[in-house]
Amino acid sequence: MAMAVSFSPLHLKPSFHSSSRSQFSCSLRPAVILPGLGNNSGDYDKLRLLLKERYGVHSVVVKVSRIDWLRNAAGLLDPNYWRGTLRPRPVLDWYLKKTDEAIQEAKELAQGGTLSLIGHSAGGWLARVYMEEFGISQISMLLTLGTPHLPPPKGVPGVIDQTRGLLNYVDKNCSKAGYNPELKFVCIAGRYIQGARLFGDSDANTILAAASISSNQPTPELAITNDSSNSTDLMATSLRSRFVGQGYKQVCGESEVWGDGVVPEVSAHLEGAINISFDGVYHSPVGSDDELRPWYGSPAILDQWVYHLLH
């Protein structure tokens, strides 16, 4: 049975510091970080340095550039794309090859021991594809950060499978999650903003007023106020929630759910895994702020899940 845990990390004191690193440093597994869709390797430099300097975990980032993702356009030539039955291979062979190169490098660091995979966003389900296609030799943990693991439901009006069948393939063909000494699955989700329906109870005047807000108007993602003086901010927040909600709907079939701004919480968890949710956590290192808009790899957030890499 899946285990679900929810945290509010911004209100918790860090559990691991450099002073506690020495007791683990002799046997820590190295990690391979798999970038998410549209990200490049450099986006994870800070996470890689934090893992090494603060916790003694050496890591290798899969070498991916933003331009590399254009290779996915090859899928347009596959008839399965248009039928919604696309498979990861051969379209994503380029990513799997780069992942294998990073894993071989990490195996040298492991010196015969095991290693962990840290998959961010699409990197999480691509890690599952890699393990299915290349085997799990020396891999003892998969930890995912804001990964959309589950395919969108079929038959829901307005929902289009943006992966064109890829997540259906992963769900049906990749090994199910588990948590055992041989291979541990840990799936982490963020609760940064709750989505809203595109057309809800708000009247048309409210929607139009929100839409007229200047593009440089501050737009808080979470409205925790009933002060009428902040009505402009609330309208902007409402507009943002509606926009985010449409993104959530394409992933899980529902718009009025919590998520990290890109991936809804319910899609980022897997039955059989250790499932953890963090309040106030944003999806991507791009556009994040460690203090105001932390992402999964921000120091205060990392400190709450790094435990799994140290054991």
Side-chain angles (χ1 to χ4, degrees), residues 30 208 264:
L208 290 174

Side-chain angles (χ1 to χ4, degrees), residues 208-231:
L208 290 174
S212 67
I213 296 173
S214 171
S215 60
N216 62 3
Q217 173 71 33
T219 306
E221 313 298 344
L222 295 173
I224 312 177
T225 177
N226 292 316
D227 188 346
S228 60
S229 66
N230 292 325
S231 59

Side-chain angles (χ1 to χ4, degrees), residues 72-207:
N72 291 356
L76 296 171
L77 303 177
D78 188 331
N80 287 308
Y81 177 92
W82 305 104
R83 290 194 290 260
T85 56
L86 192 63
R87 297 188 172 200
R89 308 190 71 177
V91 176
L92 289 162
D93 275 352
W94 67 271
Y95 189 100
L96 298 176
K97 181 177 182 296
K98 288 176 178 288
T99 298
D100 189 57
E101 292 170 353
I103 287 177
Q104 298 310 316
E105 183 178 345
K107 283 183 176 180
E108 294 182 9
L109 294 174
Q111 297 180 344
T114 62
L115 53 89
S116 303
L117 301 185
I118 303 174
H120 170 235
S121 196
W125 61 260
L126 281 164
R128 294 173 64 193
V129 173
Y130 176 88
M131 291 191 295
E132 195 67 30
E133 296 289 323
F134 290 74
I136 59 173
S137 175
Q138 288 185 248
I139 299 173
S140 60
M141 172 172 287
L142 171 61
L143 187 149
T144 64
L145 307 171
T147 289
H149 284 292
L150 306 178
K154 295 181 179 180
V156 178
V159 174
I160 300 174
D161 181 3
Q162 298 177 343
T163 71
R164 306 308 298 159
L166 289 173
L167 283 179
N168 272 302
Y169 178 90
V170 172
D171 189 54
K172 292 178 180 178
N173 295 279
C174 292
S175 299
K176 301 303 180 183
Y179 195 86
N180 54 68
E182 289 73 35
L183 180 58
K184 302 176 181 179
F185 279 71
V186 178
C187 300
I188 299 177
R191 292 170 54 86
Y192 179 69
I193 179 173
Q194 184 176 22
R197 289 179 294 171
L198 184 59
F199 299 107
D201 297 330
S202 299
D203 60 33
N205 290 331
T206 300
I207 297 174

